[in-house]
Amino acid sequence: MSQILIVEDDTAVHVLLKEVLTTHGFITIDAYSGTEGRLLLDSHEVDLILLDLMLPGLSGEDFVNEIRQKSQVPIIVLTAKGDQIDKNTLLAAGVDDYMVKPFDINELLLRIAIQLRHQSVHSPAKSESVLHYKEIFLELETRIVTVSGNEIHLTGREFSLLELFLTHPQKVFSRANLYESAWEDPYFESDKSVNMHISNLRKKLSSAGVNYIQTIWGVGFKFD
């Protein structure tokens, strides 16, 4: 799942950005000054930075200069300066993109997607370690599952079932398919454990606001 560092001191703008990003499946890390943003970047793995220029303490321009000495993480500047900004200076300093406030949220989401897509081309190993379906992100290495930015806790069996569904969305699995793939043991017709784990997984996903596991009567289950 992509983690975005928001460095914005305007509370209203910050809250709006956080709500929109978490709704679209991102994890946000929140800083209200350039100095705080620099500290958080030292302690968190970040995929993209949304940066205001007019910040208390360390300015946005100085923040970019410091970050570019050690990281190439994509930076999108959000500024109220309008015609006063020199876009060539920003781009030369290492900013990847910028938008002038007030900005269109849908356009910002598109620009974020473009930057993250460009980044994933240059780091394929990372992108392959995460399974993603709509609001659901499953991290294979850390075994962390998030739905709309909120982590849910799964048992080992539930994680294996969800991994199987995310790897093959819309494929219909019989109970035997699920059991033998997730349990790695032969399936016995009388074993009801698949139904139990599917039911528990459904409840946890439902509590997070999604209902993608469908029962195909007489056959099994699919994710859609």
Side-chain angles (χ1 to χ4, degrees), residues 191-207:
D191 195 320
K192 304 299 182 184
S193 57
V194 170
N195 287 357
M196 179 188 70
H197 287 291
I198 288 289
S199 176
N200 291 338
L201 178 58
R202 268 186 172 141
K203 289 176 182 176
K204 292 179 180 180
L205 292 175
S206 179
S207 68

Side-chain angles (χ1 to χ4, degrees), residues 12-66:
V13 175
H14 198 122
V15 169
L16 172 64
L17 290 170
K18 184 178 181 67
E19 288 180 350
V20 170
L21 291 172
T22 54
T23 297
H24 285 79
F26 297 105
I27 296 173
T28 64
I29 302 167
D30 306 295
Y32 290 84
S33 71
T35 304
E36 185 183 9
R38 180 178 57 191
L39 291 172
L40 287 171
L41 195 58
D42 288 338
S43 59
H44 292 76
E45 183 177 343
V46 170
D47 298 291
L48 184 139
I49 300 172
L50 294 179
L51 175 68
D52 183 24
L53 288 182
M54 301 175 67
L55 293 167
L58 186 70
S59 70
E61 290 89 341
D62 290 340
F63 179 90
V64 172
N65 290 332
E66 288 196 18

Side-chain angles (χ1 to χ4, degrees), residues 67-223:
I67 297 311
R68 280 295 173 255
Q69 294 178 25
K70 57 185 178 182
S71 173
Q72 293 304 310
V73 60
I75 299 175
I76 299 178
V77 160
L78 307 175
T79 177
K81 290 185 176 181
D83 293 337
Q84 299 176 38
I85 66 169
D86 184 339
K87 65 179 181 180
N88 292 327
T89 300
L90 279 177
L91 296 173
V95 169
D96 297 275
D97 201 353
Y98 75 95
M99 294 188 71
V100 176
K101 300 174 183 177
F103 48 83
D104 180 82
I105 282 294
N106 290 324
E107 182 180 352
L108 176 61
L109 288 170
L110 177 60
R111 294 189 184 209
I112 289 172
I114 290 171
Q115 292 299 328
L116 292 176
R117 187 161 59 242
H118 176 74
Q119 183 191 42
S120 70
V121 169
H122 294 88
S123 55
K126 180 177 180 182
S127 63
E128 290 171 2
S129 69
V130 178
L131 297 178
H132 171 215
Y133 183 83
K134 297 182 180 178
E135 305 97 329
I136 302 174
F137 288 80
L138 181 149
E139 298 184 20
L140 296 171
E141 294 182 2
T142 62
R143 298 181 72 82
I144 292 174
V145 177
T146 55
V147 180
S148 300
N150 299 308
E151 184 175 351
I152 62 172
H153 300 283
L154 303 181
T155 66
R157 299 297 191 202
E158 292 161 3
F159 185 93
S160 296
L161 289 170
L162 183 59
E163 179 183 350
L164 197 60
F165 282 129
L166 295 186
T167 305
H168 306 283
Q170 301 186 345
K171 176 180 177 179
V172 178
F173 291 94
S174 68
R175 288 171 178 79
N177 291 153
L178 293 173
Y179 189 97
E180 291 171 0
S181 297
W183 276 250
E184 298 183 346
D185 282 321
Y187 174 71
F188 296 96
E189 191 68 33
S190 60
D191 195 320
K192 304 299 182 184
S193 57
V194 170
N195 287 357
M196 179 188 70
H197 287 291
I198 288 289
S199 176
N200 291 338
L201 178 58
R202 268 186 172 141
K203 289 176 182 176
K204 292 179 180 180
L205 292 175
S206 179
S207 68
V210 296
N211 295 282
Y212 295 135
I213 301 177
Q214 296 186 12
T215 299
I216 310 300
W217 297 109
V219 182
F221 306 93
K222 76 170 184 174
F223 210 71

